[in-house]
Amino acid sequence: MSFDQKNIVVAGGSSGIGLALVKKLVAEGAKVYVISRNPGNELPENVTHITYDVTSASIDFAAQLPEQIHGFVYSVGSINLKPIQRITREDFLNDFTLNVLGAVTLIQQSLKALKAAENASIVLFSTVAARTGMGFHTSIAASKGAIEGFALSLAAELVSSKIRVNAIAPSLTNTPLAQHLLNTDEKQEAANKRHPLGKFGQPEDMAAAAKFLLSGESSWITGQVIGVDGGLSVLRPL
Ligand SMILES: NC(=O)c1ccc[n+]([C@@H]2O[C@H](COP(=O)([O-])OP(=O)(O)OC[C@H]3O[C@@H](n4cnc5c(N)ncnc54)[C@H](OP(=O)(O)O)[C@@H]3O)[C@@H](O)[C@H]2O)c1
């Protein structure tokens, strides 16, 4: 199996996209370490759960990781949609702390183990709204725009260590995070219609892209932001 003997860390692996990815990786033989505040009740057996609030800068979890990490995924994030008159400085700071600084802290603490593994891969999550203007998305678009810039700069910095860094930019995906946007038949129908491919996303769509970016099959891809969005960001069908 392609992930046999591979150690993969998935921050946010207890729910939604991260959980779908964890299930795929475990099925392919990976040893998976999940970081989140709670393990939830869906993690497969043999996954190591590390309890950690990524908004806290003070916890040191590096000692709980293996000596080599072949893949690191940051699948933690928020959807905090408000009109510009109502969104606060605190909203922006909270979104930045969760979406960006959490990733920075965890990657810093994982770096030694990532370097120790040959050809490691880091996968981050942006959003379609970082590059496609969408009302009420100012704060999350600002944070995810920052993640895209971070991903590119980090990819350049780590290329000499043969560590690849890429980001996925999803559109609306059926996870607990997006539940409030998909909790009626009307909302689901409208969401389906908004996407050129005629449907909103499923966690497995994002997990498949993340698994590809972690695998050797993407070994010549780094510094990219890949839209997995049913065509929303680029297509205007007639
Ligand atoms: N779903 C969408 O429509 C959508 C669209 C665009 C982008 N994205 C991005 O895709 C990624 C995955 O989102 P998702 O929809 O799968 O979210 P989700 O279902 O809410 O899962 C989020 C995960 O992050 C963990 N988490 C949240 N806050 C945390 C904290 N402070 N410390 C540690 N762990 C924390 C959660 O576990 P605990 O709560 O137990 O900590 C959970 O495992 C995110 O980066 C999100 O911004 C999603």
Side-chain angles (χ1 to χ4, degrees), residues 106-122:
L106 297 194
I107 289 168
Q108 284 173 331
Q109 295 199 7
S110 307
L111 203 50
K112 190 169 168 217
L114 285 163
K115 284 184 175 171
E118 283 179 19
N119 304 311
S121 170
I122 296 174

Side-chain angles (χ1 to χ4, degrees), residues 13-129:
S14 63
S15 170
I17 293 167
L19 179 61
L21 174 63
V22 168
K23 289 178 177 170
K24 283 182 191 287
L25 292 171
V26 168
E28 295 206 18
K31 172 75 186 129
V32 180
Y33 297 76
V34 164
I35 298 168
S36 63
R37 291 166 299 181
N38 304 291
N41 48 20
E42 286 191 66
L43 283 179
E45 275 178 31
N46 301 327
V47 167
T48 301
H49 183 263
I50 301 172
T51 303
Y52 184 76
D53 183 338
V54 301
T55 62
S56 153
S58 63
I59 297 175
D60 182 357
F61 77 103
Q64 299 178 64
L65 295 176
E67 281 178 18
Q68 295 186 346
I69 299 175
H70 304 91
F72 174 91
V73 180
Y74 191 77
S75 186
V76 177
S78 47
I79 301 180
N80 179 18
L81 309 183
K82 286 186 188 172
I84 189 66
Q85 299 92 321
R86 283 210 355 249
I87 199 145
T88 62
R89 184 183 166 83
E90 200 181 9
D91 287 322
F92 273 83
L93 289 172
N94 288 343
D95 280 342
F96 193 82
T97 303
L98 187 71
N99 287 277
V100 184
L101 295 182
V104 173
T105 305
L106 297 194
I107 289 168
Q108 284 173 331
Q109 295 199 7
S110 307
L111 203 50
K112 190 169 168 217
L114 285 163
K115 284 184 175 171
E118 283 179 19
N119 304 311
S121 170
I122 296 174
V123 179
L124 303 169
F125 276 92
S126 179
T127 167
V128 65

Side-chain angles (χ1 to χ4, degrees), residues 52 77 96 168 192 238:
Y52 184 76
F96 193 82
I168 292 169
N192 282 337
L238 292 172

